[in-house]
């Protein structure tokens, strides 16, 4: 029983349970060989001019050697009868000067084996709370009497082992805390990200819609956004964009941007007017501080009598939308020339109109997709995305997203930025009639 256990009034089984709990706490048992502990064992042997030395940890029913100098092929021994198991009962160095005449050691396997150990000295490896994990041991095949200086040096070596174990435990706890911090950050980021995006897209008569958000970093909130919502006159508004930065500042900017665009569309659903309103709000909100800006594309959908949809798009510094036509071609609906929102004194926004016929799709995306790198290190770019879509030829919004998600998976680590996707498609039942009327 250890001195600290006696002071605490623990029974022998309870004291041993507490000691074993301390052994487990340091995660040392059955770990690979380690140079630091090997050097301590080697130094102990040299200090005593002895052929053998060990750094031993006493487990439930065995004595395991973290380091063993001069004991080739021996990594552990039974705990009983054991020299180390006896040594941990003592707070000071434990010495057997001649094992042949010492009843404490006579039956030990190291004494009775071909090794023929006759001398044994050990200093306990003791934790700050008094638990003895094991010992630093010196063994010789001849009887001998150690000097006081040698025993003091052995105590210092045991203290060095304890210091090393504490350093490693601190590192383990730091890593565990960092993992927990990252896990918590990921949980918070996911929760916050969900608040910045619509929980679900609404059902739009005559259209199929789908959206997805791919994060490049699980523990960091991105600034990509999208939305789709009805206007009062039977039309539908939608937008997709990307704010500058990451983290909490980007989240605040994303939230402001999304709700500003919704409010602007209710006030004036003209796409260029919506972007101009957002530009004014960002400049007013961040006046006198570092500018906060974003790119965005804002669109209005209007159903037509022939089953098609008229699409009016305005862009502010954002990549072109891509239309997948019924004949298999991919067409860029360009808003080139539209400028960043919230950055310039008098930005220009570019507006264009297109038609989306039955059997055709429209894809809006953020630049995390086209700026991804392919396996040869080149940027995917709009040309690479266009080739992929032409090859896969999706016909519905769901198929379109599946095609892009397969591309993202193929790009793997080449995707280094968040990507928001919004896909719209017109079902194809009336495709043949529309083609005839063109």
């Amino acid at each position: 029983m250890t001195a600290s256990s006696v002071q605490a009034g623990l029974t022998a089984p309870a004291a041993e349970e507490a000691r074993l709990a301390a052994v487990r706490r340091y995660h040392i048992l059955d770990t690979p060989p380690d140079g630091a502990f090997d050097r301590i064992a080697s130094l102990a042997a040299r200090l005593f001019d002895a052929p053998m030395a060990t750094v031993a940890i006493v487990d439930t029913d065995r004595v395991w050697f973290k380091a063993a100098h001069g004991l080739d092929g021996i990594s552990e021994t039974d705990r009983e009868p054991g020299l180390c198991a006896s040594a941990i009962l003592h707070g000071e160095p434990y010495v057997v000067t001649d094992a042949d005449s010492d009843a404490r050691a006579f039956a030990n396997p190291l004494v009775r084996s071909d090794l023929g150990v006759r001398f044994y000295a050990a200093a306990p490896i003791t934790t700050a709370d008094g638990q003895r994990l094991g010992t630093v041991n010196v063994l010789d095949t001849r009887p001998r009497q150690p000097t006081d200086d040698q025993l003091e040096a052995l105590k210092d070596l045991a203290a060095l082992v304890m210091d090393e174990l504490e350093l490693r435990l601190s590192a383990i706890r730091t890593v565990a805390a960092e993992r927990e911090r990252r896990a918590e950050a990921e949980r918070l980021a996911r929760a916050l990200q969900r608040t910045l995006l619509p929980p679900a897209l609404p059902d739009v008569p005559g259209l199929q819609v789908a959206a997805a958000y791919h994060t490049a970093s699980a523990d960091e909130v991105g600034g990509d956004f999208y939305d789709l919502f009805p206007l009062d006159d039977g039309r539908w508004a939608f937008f997709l964009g990307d704010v500058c930065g990451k983290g909490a500042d980007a989240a605040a900017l994303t939230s402001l941007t999304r709700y500003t665009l919704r409010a602007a569309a209710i006030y004036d659903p003209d796409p260029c007017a919506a972007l101009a309103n957002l530009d004014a709000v960002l400049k007013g909100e961040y006046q006198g501080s570092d500018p906060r800006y974003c790119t965005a594309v804002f669109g209005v959908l209007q159903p037509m009598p022939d089953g098609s949809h008229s699409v009016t798009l305005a862009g502010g510094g954002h990549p072109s939308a891509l239309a997948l036509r019924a004949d298999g071609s991919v067409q860029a609906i360009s808003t080139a020339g539209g400028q960043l929102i919230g950055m310039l004194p008098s930005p220009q926004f570019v507006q264009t109109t297109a038609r989306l016929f039955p059997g055709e799709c429209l894809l809006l995306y953020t630049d995390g997709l086209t700026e991804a790198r392919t396996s040869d290190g080149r940027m995917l770019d709009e040309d690479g995305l266009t080739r992929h879509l032409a090859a896969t030829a999706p016909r519905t919004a769901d198929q379109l997203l599946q095609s892009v998600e397969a591309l993202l998976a193929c790009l793997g680590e080449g995707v280094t930025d968040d990507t928001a996707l919004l896909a719209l498609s017109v079902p194809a039942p009336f495709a043949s009639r529309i083609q005839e009327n063109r």
Side-chain angles (χ1 to χ4, degrees), residues 86-256:
S86 299
I88 61 169
L89 300 176
H90 302 269
E92 294 298 320
Y94 179 84
V95 179
V96 174
T97 57
D98 187 350
D100 272 350
S101 59
D102 194 317
R104 298 173 301 172
F106 185 78
N108 187 272
L110 296 178
V111 176
R112 305 319 317 157
S113 70
D114 293 340
L115 287 175
V117 170
R118 298 285 297 278
F119 167 78
Y120 172 80
I125 302 167
T126 307
T127 67
D129 58 353
Q131 300 295 342
R132 297 177 191 126
L133 309 179
T135 53
V136 176
N137 315 287
V138 177
L139 306 95
D140 204 343
T141 56
R142 56 190 175 90
R144 46 188 301 185
Q145 183 69 48
T147 67
D148 290 343
D149 286 344
Q150 287 175 322
L151 294 179
E152 285 299 317
L154 195 61
K155 288 169 61 177
D156 288 340
L157 292 177
L160 284 176
V161 169
M162 194 66 249
D163 289 345
E164 186 68 20
L165 291 177
E166 288 290 356
L167 285 173
R168 293 171 188 229
L169 179 59
S170 177
I172 289 170
R173 286 174 171 169
T174 298
V175 169
E178 177 61 16
R179 286 176 177 168
E180 178 58 29
R181 185 200 68 77
R182 289 182 64 86
E184 179 63 20
E186 289 176 9
R187 289 192 290 270
L188 290 173
R190 287 193 297 269
L192 180 55
Q193 196 77 67
R194 286 194 295 270
T195 67
L196 302 177
L197 300 171
L201 293 178
D203 293 328
V204 181
L207 282 178
Q208 185 186 76
V209 297
Y213 192 99
H214 293 261
T215 56
S217 175
D219 62 350
E220 198 169 39
V221 181
D224 295 9
F225 57 89
Y226 61 83
D227 207 347
L228 172 67
F229 52 96
L231 300 174
D232 292 338
D233 56 5
R235 294 183 299 170
W236 290 76
F238 61 92
F239 56 78
L240 179 141
D242 185 5
V243 307
C244 65
K246 299 283 186 183
D249 288 343
L253 180 55
T254 299
S255 180
L256 175 63

